[in-house]
């Protein structure tokens, strides 16, 4: 066994020889970001060897790391097997999950209407004259003859009643008895809303009596080490039942750690948490439930379930009240999941009369258009570029990520999260960079970086000098070696710009197809609601400049925060909202883009800047 220490967290783990550093980091609880499931293809899982293995770079490292990075000791974690005591440094370990946690708008205005209630009872005691069974006695006192009960709870009922001399509190969720507590415990009724994102897990602890959000926490989805996108996760899960179980367990374990943290933060005991509502994209919902998502990756992309599911927390292994209930909100389609249902709830798209578009750009990009009494939804494979995947120095919004780019007085200005040296560029920075370079004339509308030798006169010298020839064509130096954490230039490549064009082209084309289906034009759209943490941080002007969003006046484009998570909170707080959610699969018309000729045509047309 070998000891591996990860810096700066000082996390130490002992692993058998042959374990690679990517797996070791996950075991140590400080997972390194990787987008290709450890195949050596994405170049994202960079760590710096401080002590230990100094072998020659592998072929994948020579391809994925710059000469400066290699010289400074950077390696790809998935390519390095631990073969002795090792100390490795992880960059940008503190990610910006908390960008998701501050956003609770719609949930704060919902009238509480919890499905869980507590009723304190003093039951009459049985006697020879009154031989009513324990359960019937409870049902009669509650005036609920239909009350159902879990067998394990029924088994514990006789003891629970007699220990407290028949003075108990019944906890009921709809028509189901979920706990019998000693004495009068009425008052503390709590629930959890989970937003299971491909990249980030978010948990909110809510007082169901008042509807108050007591605390929110977020964590990186630990399935990340098996690939950043849903298709990689589906591929991994489909390899064997054990892999599927492992993916499920990773999420459950992390959610349980989050629940423990929320409990410690608020003083709410985990056995006072009686209910949870879950949203996620369809793949994440399948994996959360341990359901093989294989068929989601194959046409016609059929999910195993669509309607909402109600389950026992104990069956899922969630660390809340052992008889608590978990509701997974419904899916719309294979690639439009309950997270989109959450967005619709939080933005009231199912109750609006004015044509309105909601765009949720996460690891996937989902679009929902409400117009003329209809709700249309589609999904585009747009997200990975905005999450940093497929971008040479792309990374998620985390410490060290360039999040904003401007050109003032012919000079490039960068804003880096955490005020640190730049380690990569996140989605908002990418959009800003493209918009700024487009405006400066360094990028042509076709997306091509201009040739500094032949187009020299058109550009200020300070910008022109940043364009150079790289292995894959021209590239633009966003930050030179002195400004970066790796000690090598951080560049935006021609390939990166192409990825951005593909992503924004897909969103733009999806939007146009939805408009056509609804029989309206972009001028008819009253507002565009940007859901997701990403929507909160992108600059609307930059998104408009590159054609990522429809050309509407900027004041009509409104960030709405983490609407998916907000919708989960709303459905947890209010039974009426939950009923709205349950009705949505029938109301929402799913528009499958993959087979539509008009989507392909719009997509081609939308590739150019601004499109
Ligand atoms: S290169 Fe290591 S995870 Fe992709």
């Amino acid at each position: 066994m070998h000891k591996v220490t990860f810096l700066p967290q000082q996390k130490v783990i002992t692993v058998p020889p042959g374990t690679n550093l990517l797996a070791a980091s996950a075991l140590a609880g400080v997972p390194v970001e990787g987008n290709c499931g450890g195949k050596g293809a994405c170049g994202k899982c960079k760590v710096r060897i401080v002590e230990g293995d100094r072998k020659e770079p592998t072929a994948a490292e020579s391809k994925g790391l710059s000469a400066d990075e290699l010289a400074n000791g950077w390696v790809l974690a998935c390519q390095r097997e631990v073969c002795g005591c090792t100390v490795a440094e992880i960059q940008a370990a503190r990610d910006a999950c908390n960008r998701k946690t501050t956003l609770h708008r719609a949930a704060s205005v919902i009238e509480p209407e919890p499905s869980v209630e507590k009723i304190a009872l003093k039951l009459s005691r049985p006697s020879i004259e009154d031989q009513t069974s324990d359960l019937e006695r409870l049902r009669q006192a509650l005036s609920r003859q239909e009350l159902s009960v879990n067998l394990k709870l029924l088994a514990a009922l006789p003891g629970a009643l007699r220990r407290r001399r028949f003075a108990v509190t019944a906890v009921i969720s709809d028509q189901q008895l979920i706990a019998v507590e000693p004495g009068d415990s009425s008052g503390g009724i709590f629930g959890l809303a989970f937003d299971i994102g491909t990249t980030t897990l978010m948990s909110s602890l809510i007082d169901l009596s008042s509807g108050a959000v007591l605390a929110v926490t977020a964590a990186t989805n630990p399935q990340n080490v098996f690939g950043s996108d849903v298709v990689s996760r589906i591929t991994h899960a489909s390899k064997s039942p054990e892999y599927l179980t492992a993916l499920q367990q990773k999420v459950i374990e992390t959610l349980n750690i989050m629940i423990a943290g929320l409990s410690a933060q608020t003083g709410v005991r985990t056995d006072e948490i009686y209910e949870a509502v879950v949203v996620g994209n369809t793949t994440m919902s399948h994996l959360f439930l341990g359901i093989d998502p294989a068929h989601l990756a194959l046409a016609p992309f059929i999910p195993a379930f669509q309607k909402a599911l109600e389950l026992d927390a104990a069956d899922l292994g969630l660390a809340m009240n052992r008889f608590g209930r978990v509701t997974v909100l419904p899916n719309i389609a294979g690639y439009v999941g309950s997270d989109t249902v959450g967005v619709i709830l939080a933005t009231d798209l199912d109750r609006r009369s004015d044509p309105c578009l909601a765009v949720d750009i996460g690891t996937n990009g989902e679009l929902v258009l409400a117009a003329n009494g209809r709700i249309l939804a589609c999904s585009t494979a747009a997200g990975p570029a905005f999450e940093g995947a497929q971008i040479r120095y792309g990374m998620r919004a985390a410490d060290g990520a360039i999040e904003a780019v401007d050109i003032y007085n012919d000079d490039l200005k960068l804003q880096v999260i955490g005020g640190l040296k730049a380690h990569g560029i996140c989605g908002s920075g990418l959009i800003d960079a493209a918009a700024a370079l487009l405006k400066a004339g360094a990028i042509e509308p076709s997306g091509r970086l201009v040739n500094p030798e032949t187009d020299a006169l058109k550009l200020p010298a300070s910008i022109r000098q940043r364009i150079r020839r790289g292995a894959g064509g021209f590239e633009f130096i966003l930050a030179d070696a002195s400004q970066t954490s790796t000690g090598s230039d951080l560049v935006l490549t021609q390939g990166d710009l192409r990825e951005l064009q593909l992503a924004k082209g897909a969103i733009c084309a999806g939007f146009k197809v939805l408009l056509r289906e609804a029989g309206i034009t972009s001028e008819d759209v009253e507002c565009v609601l940007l859901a997701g943490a990403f929507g909160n941080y992108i600059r609307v002007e930059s998104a408009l400049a590159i054609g990522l969003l429809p050309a509407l006046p900027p004041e009509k484009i409104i960030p709405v925060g983490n609407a998916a998570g907000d919708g989960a909170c709303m459905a947890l707080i209010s039974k009426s909202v939950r009923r709205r959610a349950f009705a949505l699969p029938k109301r929402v018309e799913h528009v499958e883009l993959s087979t539509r000729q008009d989507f392909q045509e719009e997509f081609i047309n939308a590739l150019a800047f601004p499109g």
Side-chain angles (χ1 to χ4, degrees), residues 438-490:
L438 195 61
K439 191 170 168 203
I443 301 175
E444 295 175 351
S446 68
R448 194 179 72 92
L449 270 164
V450 298
N451 183 332
E453 289 140 29
T454 56
D455 299 311
L457 292 177
K458 293 185 190 164
L459 291 173
S462 58
I463 300 299
R464 189 176 65 236
Q465 286 159 3
R466 287 176 177 269
I467 305 176
R468 70 183 183 196
R469 224 175 258 282
F474 289 121
E475 55 190 31
F476 186 88
I477 303 169
L478 285 168
D480 65 31
S482 68
Q483 297 174 289
T484 66
S485 61
T486 56
S488 69
D489 294 345
L490 195 158

Side-chain angles (χ1 to χ4, degrees), residues 374-396:
R374 296 171 67 193
I375 308 173
L376 301 152
C378 67
S379 169
T380 64
F386 299 122
E387 298 267 348
Q390 292 134 17
I391 303 299
R392 172 84 183 271
Y393 286 95
M395 62 184 284
R396 287 186 292 128

Side-chain angles (χ1 to χ4, degrees), residues 302-314:
I302 302 300
F305 69 98
Q306 185 187 36
K307 287 185 178 173
L309 296 176
E310 300 195 346
L311 307 144
D312 289 335

Side-chain angles (χ1 to χ4, degrees), residues 22 32-46 60-61 64 75-79 224-225 227:
L22 188 67
V32 171
E33 200 167 322
N35 290 332
C36 66
K39 296 191 190 79
C42 69
K44 300 288 181 201
C45 60
K46 292 176 198 175
E61 287 169 339
V75 299
L76 295 177
C78 68
Q79 299 295 301
N224 222 21
V225 290

Side-chain angles (χ1 to χ4, degrees), residues 11 108 237 260 355 358 378 407 460 499 587:
K11 286 271 183 167
S108 64
C378 67
I407 297 178
E499 289 294 335
R587 266 202 76 189

Side-chain angles (χ1 to χ4, degrees), residues 338-570:
S338 52
D339 49 354
T340 300
V341 166
V343 170
I344 295 171
L345 297 175
T347 54
D348 267 346
L349 276 190
D350 55 333
R351 304 201 295 196
R352 293 182 87 114
S353 52
D354 52 336
C356 183
L357 174 77
V359 185
D360 188 2
I361 303 174
T363 311
N364 285 325
E366 287 99 15
L367 306 176
V368 187
L369 177 67
N372 302 327
R374 296 171 67 193
I375 308 173
L376 301 152
C378 67
S379 169
T380 64
F386 299 122
E387 298 267 348
Q390 292 134 17
I391 303 299
R392 172 84 183 271
Y393 286 95
M395 62 184 284
R396 287 186 292 128
D399 279 354
I402 297 171
E403 62 170 342
V405 179
D406 285 293
I407 297 178
Y408 287 127
N409 297 331
D410 298 339
D411 199 14
L412 198 72
K413 301 271 185 238
L414 305 178
Q415 189 176 311
V416 180
I417 298 176
L420 305 173
K421 286 197 166 190
H423 187 69
I425 184 164
C426 65
S428 61
L430 182 66
I431 293 167
D432 261 9
L437 296 183
L438 195 61
K439 191 170 168 203
I443 301 175
E444 295 175 351
S446 68
R448 194 179 72 92
L449 270 164
V450 298
N451 183 332
E453 289 140 29
T454 56
D455 299 311
L457 292 177
K458 293 185 190 164
L459 291 173
S462 58
I463 300 299
R464 189 176 65 236
Q465 286 159 3
R466 287 176 177 269
I467 305 176
R468 70 183 183 196
R469 224 175 258 282
F474 289 121
E475 55 190 31
F476 186 88
I477 303 169
L478 285 168
D480 65 31
S482 68
Q483 297 174 289
T484 66
S485 61
T486 56
S488 69
D489 294 345
L490 195 158
V491 299
L492 186 68
T493 68
Q494 187 63 70
D496 297 340
L497 288 166
R498 294 288 178 234
E499 289 294 335
L500 175 62
Q501 287 177 280
L502 294 176
K504 76 106 185 171
I507 288 178
C508 210
F511 173 58
K512 288 185 175 162
V513 170
L514 290 188
L515 286 178
R516 184 171 302 126
E517 279 292 311
I520 61 172
T521 66
S522 59
E523 286 79 51
D524 298 319
V525 175
E526 275 306 309
C527 61
V528 175
L529 305 173
L530 295 181
F534 180 62
N536 257 42
Y537 289 90
I538 61 170
R539 277 197 278 199
V540 168
E541 300 74 26
S542 297
L544 287 169
I546 66 163
L548 171 64
L549 298 174
L552 294 178
E555 62 275 13
K556 287 192 172 185
I557 297 169
I558 305 160
V560 292
N562 178 22
D566 227 359
C569 292
M570 291 166 64

